[in-house]
Amino acid sequence: MLCTKIVNARFLTMDPDHPVARQLGIWQGRIVGLDEAVAALPAREVIDLQGVTVLPGFIDAHVHLPWTGFTQNTTSIAGCTRIDDALAIVADAVARKNSPGAWVSIVGYDQRALGRHLTAAELDTVSQGHKLYVLHDSGHGCVVNTAVLDLLAADVPHENGFLAEGAMGAARALRLPYSQEEVAESIGRAARTCLAEGITACAEAGIGGALFGHTPVELGAYQLAREKGLLPLRVQLMISADRLRPVGAHEADGIPKALDLGLRTGFGDDWLSVGALKIFTDGGMMARTAALSAPYEGLDHAGQLQDDPEVLAQSIVDGHLGGWQLAVHAIGDRAADVALDALERAQRLRPRPGARHRIEHAGLIRPDQLPRIARLGVSAVVQPSFLRFFGDDYAAIMGAERAPWLYRGRGFLDHGITLVGSSDRPVTDGSPLRAIQFMVERASASGRLIGPDEGITVDEALHAYTVAGAYACHWEDRAGSLTPGKRADLVVLGDDPRRVDVSRIGDIQVVATYVDGREAGK
């Protein structure tokens, strides 16, 4: 007897061998059959969905759950367009804290909305003896007040209190780590938001590191979240490369650096597992720290690499030799050059055709870089919503020649590169449906078309958030399509993305999300 049989639905299976179905049977959290294979089987529960559309649960291959959860519970200056208004919100947060010497965190900071960066001197006027940490929306910078600057080493660079990349990491390191309990609660809040948008699995994009980590025992916080029932979706954890250390393994292993006990990609189970090793090569486009091969339009610099190119390359090679899948953060085209050179070198030293290395973001990829990415078998994990919400700004700072290269779609697919959808939540909106709409129409929120030739079909965009996401996470035997034997992770939609006007895809209602064959929240 089946546990559940779902009938009278339009299942878009993403499986080319059985692309559309009307019935689906579930037993012990797995799909056991479709249509005639289950039609005559009895079931403990029969669910009639009255003709709605069902897809495999969306997979977001690049998110930050703890950061998202903390952002949801932290004072924000998002939407402020005047410096005085932003400072007034900070002053109110300080007054509520009312504990001189303590840290006060603020999120929602974007200098573009304010016209310029806040300064340490301005924050001093409202700090009342507190240490202020105002996090940039990109996650690649912050503004702090003088009380924080005074604690930093003299050689930590800043611009009137604005700290970028490694300098921001130095400020983060001054703070006591969050407790595992706090991190677990934040994970739970963010996970519930993901579920509401039809996401049943995701890849956490870097735990434990200097830039995005919240505690050196962050993996334990995820275990705690699971033990407390706060992890209602499947999570794969990327480990920040700065957590690796030299190890004295046998010379035949060829492993120069590792986590303790040799932990690496693949450890875990269907709910919580260790995924790729996260390596940063550059910063972010919002903060103007993405590393480009030519300067930003109107600026006298081309961003920055996180370290000396050879140091970055060695980190990539060491991770590859250690048996890791690599998720290399590279937004600018110069950073992509560094990543591709190192990945090529690593594969020469120890060929691993099935490693499935990834470039995270691939924000600006030149035409000459596409064949190299394809040749190396590297996936491009993009964030379409970046251009939907920041596209006007990004196009302006890239200029007319480079703007069409931003967050490509068609260019990757035409070269045989696996195109993977993701959000980088909470940097911007996390809805897969809104991202899918942008991947097709390539229109920013203002209606500006950005690289329209990079537009892809609805089917290809759905593939990026299902089948391709599973492939990028080594989950293709368990997720990504509604195929017998795979996990019964489903999203029920109020309309069919392939049948509505493209401009309406982002507004389709997520009616329900099923994980392991059970409706989330019930």
Side-chain angles (χ1 to χ4, degrees):
M1 175 179 285
L2 299 174
C3 296
T4 305
K5 183 159 59 175
I6 303 177
V7 302
N8 192 19
R10 179 176 173 80
F11 293 96
L12 306 182
T13 68
M14 305 308 295
D15 181 349
D17 293 332
H18 195 147
V20 180
R22 301 295 298 177
Q23 296 186 48
L24 180 145
I26 300 169
W27 185 70
Q28 293 190 350
R30 296 272 174 170
I31 299 168
V32 296
L34 302 166
D35 290 339
E36 64 276 1
V38 297
L41 296 179
R44 285 198 291 268
E45 179 184 30
V46 177
I47 300 173
D48 185 339
L49 289 182
Q50 301 181 347
V52 298
T53 297
V54 181
L55 278 159
F58 295 127
I59 297 171
D60 191 332
H62 185 118
V63 301
H64 300 277
L65 294 181
W67 179 16
T68 298
F70 281 120
T71 297
Q72 292 171 340
N73 267 19
T74 302
T75 298
S76 174
I77 56 174
C80 289
T81 57
R82 297 176 62 249
I83 297 291
D84 287 347
D85 292 341
L87 291 175
I89 292 174
V90 176
D92 181 65
V94 167
R96 283 185 278 110
K97 186 75 170 183
N98 193 25
S99 181
W103 288 86
V104 174
S105 294
I106 305 293
V107 298
Y109 173 57
D110 186 342
Q111 85 284 358
R112 298 171 303 177
L114 296 171
R116 64 169 175 82
H117 279 299
L118 292 170
T119 68
E122 288 169 334
L123 292 179
D124 288 343
T125 65
V126 295
S127 64
Q128 298 293 315
H130 296 73
K131 302 181 187 73
L132 301 186
Y133 183 92
V134 183
L135 180 63
H136 194 272
D137 273 347
S138 67
H140 288 270
C142 66
V143 183
V144 298
N145 64 338
T146 302
V148 177
L149 293 177
D150 287 345
L151 299 175
L152 293 170
D155 60 349
V156 173
H158 71 92
E159 184 177 345
N160 297 321
F162 179 71
L163 301 145
E165 309 302 340
M168 181 194 76
R172 284 175 62 93
L174 295 172
R175 308 181 63 180
L176 289 172
Y178 291 95
S179 71
Q180 286 192 342
E181 189 79 31
E182 291 174 301
V183 177
E185 294 289 340
S186 291
I187 291 166
R189 283 194 295 273
R192 291 190 292 273
T193 300
C194 290
L195 277 175
E197 294 177 340
I199 297 164
T200 57
C202 65
E204 166 63 48
I207 65 169
L211 280 181
F212 290 99
H214 295 86
T215 167
V217 289
E218 201 158 9
L219 194 154
Y222 269 91
Q223 288 181 287
L224 179 62
R226 182 178 176 185
E227 291 163 0
K228 296 184 67 174
L230 298 174
L231 199 64
L233 46 69
R234 307 179 197 281
V235 180
Q236 187 179 86
L237 304 172
M238 298 183 205
I239 309 296
S240 292
D242 54 8
R243 302 301 302 173
L244 269 60
R245 61 183 181 84
V247 293
H250 193 284
E251 61 180 16
D253 293 336
I255 300 175
K257 290 184 177 180
L259 291 180
D260 288 343
L261 302 178
L263 192 70
R264 60 175 174 83
T265 302
F267 183 82
D269 59 23
D270 272 1
W271 284 96
L272 184 63
S273 60
V274 174
L277 184 71
K278 178 75 176 291
I279 300 174
F280 288 91
T281 62
D282 69 346
M285 211 166 279
M286 292 168 63
R288 310 315 194 222
T289 54
L292 312 179
S293 55
Y296 290 89
E297 286 285 312
L299 299 177
D300 60 359
H301 70 86
Q304 65 189 75
L305 294 171
Q306 291 284 358
D307 209 327
D308 179 84
E310 180 52 35
V311 173
L312 296 173
Q314 193 59 55
S315 292
I316 291 170
V317 170
D318 286 347
H320 175 86
L321 294 177
W324 288 89
Q325 178 189 24
L326 303 179
V328 185
H329 168 114
I331 293 183
D333 61 327
R334 184 186 175 206
D337 281 333
V338 171
L340 294 172
D341 288 346
L343 289 170
E344 196 166 45
R345 176 173 146 196
Q347 290 285 15
R348 281 198 308 269
L349 288 171
R350 182 178 295 170
R352 289 175 53 211
R356 298 191 194 173
H357 297 323
R358 312 158 34 146
I359 291 184
E360 307 300 301
H361 307 297
L364 187 76
I365 298 296
R366 302 187 309 270
D368 65 287
Q369 292 173 317
L370 293 169
R372 291 193 70 195
I373 296 172
R375 188 170 63 251
L376 287 166
V378 173
S379 298
V381 183
V382 301
Q383 296 75 42
S385 288
F386 278 16
L387 287 194
R388 178 174 174 82
F389 292 95
F390 311 137
D392 294 342
D393 173 60
Y394 284 12
I397 61 174
M398 289 301 106
E401 180 185 6
R402 294 182 293 183
W405 307 343
L406 288 162
Y407 293 91
R408 291 176 179 270
R410 176 57 53 203
F412 289 132
L413 292 180
D414 284 353
H415 282 78
I417 298 164
T418 299
L419 175 65
V420 184
S422 69
S423 68
D424 204 16
R425 185 195 303 266
V427 176
T428 191
D429 181 79
S431 163
L433 287 168
R434 285 191 283 272
I436 286 165
Q437 177 179 323
F438 174 80
M439 295 176 88
V440 179
E441 65 183 7
R442 299 285 298 187
S444 71
S446 73
R448 175 176 180 169
L449 295 180
I450 302 170
D453 290 345
E454 288 293 326
I456 62 177
T457 69
V458 174
D459 281 331
E460 289 167 335
L462 291 172
H463 187 278
Y465 272 91
T466 54
V467 178
Y471 176 85
C473 296
H474 290 270
W475 282 336
E476 72 275 12
D477 62 334
R478 290 164 277 172
S481 66
L482 303 181
T483 303
K486 292 190 178 183
R487 304 183 298 219
D489 296 350
L490 326 167
V491 56
V492 181
L493 301 179
D495 218 327
D496 184 341
R498 303 191 304 184
R499 293 185 170 183
V500 302
D501 186 271
V502 172
S503 64
R504 291 183 50 218
I505 292 175
D507 296 325
I508 292 174
Q509 179 187 6
V510 175
V511 176
T513 305
Y514 286 75
V515 181
D516 261 357
R518 295 185 294 273
E519 185 175 352
K522 288 193 174 181

